[in-house]
Amino acid sequence: MANKRGGPLTLKDMTDGSGCTPRTVRYYERAGLLQAARSTGGHRLFAPEELERLNFILALREAGWSIEEITALIAARDQQPTDHAACKQLDARVSQHIAELEHKIGVLSRLRDDLLATRKTLAVCDGCTERAVKTDCEACTRLPDLADLPHGFRLSWRDRPRSLQVVADDG
């Protein structure tokens, strides 16, 4: 995204193009992840490529990458004595993160599916909760056995059996 004039981007252009706050842009600049020139009035001016870099950084942060990991990724070529060494190191680092992302995607997909099933189950419960202040879920015949219900529902809605509740030890 270039600004309307086609020149350097202001801090406002960066925040508008990324959805992040000015504070975040300034933080990444201080961390050396973004570069800005200064106008004669002292305002930050970013090359249009810096917005692309900012959005990439934000995506990596959303994926759980640390600032140190992002810095190492972006600076990989400068940190090695040869481009071949940098290429090998970067490939290894990216491969590791891809494996971690694939694991997270699996976890998030299973969680999404469970929470969608929880919502469907709660829709069944909605009818019972409309009619009573406190419902006896243990006597419910509208839902499958507890073991067959989604985890999100079992762990947040159904009461724990009294025999499994932890009792505080005063000793």
Side-chain angles (χ1 to χ4, degrees):
M1 170 186 163
N3 65 18
K4 294 173 187 164
R5 298 178 309 278
L9 302 176
T10 64
L11 182 60
K12 180 165 179 20
D13 294 328
M14 294 290 281
T15 60
D16 288 349
S18 67
C20 70
T21 65
R23 181 180 180 187
T24 300
V25 175
R26 289 189 296 264
Y27 172 77
Y28 291 139
E29 183 188 4
R30 281 191 311 276
L33 294 171
L34 297 175
Q35 295 179 353
R38 299 289 182 181
S39 71
T40 54
H43 297 281
R44 289 172 172 80
L45 297 174
F46 297 90
E49 299 80 27
E50 292 298 293
L51 179 57
E52 182 179 3
R53 180 183 295 253
L54 174 60
N55 282 316
F56 185 61
I57 292 166
L58 294 171
L60 292 173
R61 292 291 288 152
E62 184 71 23
W65 287 42
S66 70
I67 295 297
E68 294 78 16
E69 290 170 319
I70 295 170
T71 301
L73 175 76
I74 291 174
R77 192 171 189 185
D78 298 333
Q79 294 175 343
Q80 294 298 315
T82 67
D83 283 351
H84 181 71
C87 185
K88 292 294 184 190
Q89 180 194 35
L90 188 55
D91 182 58
R93 182 171 284 136
V94 168
S95 294
Q96 174 189 353
H97 282 291
I98 289 170
E100 291 170 6
L101 285 172
E102 287 174 349
H103 174 74
K104 284 181 186 180
I105 289 168
V107 169
L108 291 172
S109 294
R110 288 187 299 277
L111 180 59
R112 180 203 56 224
D113 293 347
D114 187 79
L115 292 176
L116 286 171
T118 296
R119 285 186 72 204
K120 286 181 182 178
T121 305
L122 286 170
V124 172
C125 295
D126 191 43
C128 294
T129 59
E130 275 185 326
R131 294 186 292 263
V133 174
K134 185 73 173 167
T135 325
D136 181 12
C137 294
E138 297 302 321
C140 180
T141 58
R142 298 176 65 202
L143 293 175
D145 290 335
L146 186 60
D148 297 328
L149 292 171
H151 290 92
F153 181 81
R154 283 186 303 177
L155 299 174
S156 62
W157 186 256
R158 286 280 178 110
D159 288 335
R160 285 186 181 183
R162 299 288 175 221
S163 61
L164 296 180
Q165 288 183 345
V166 176
V167 179
D169 183 13
D170 293 333

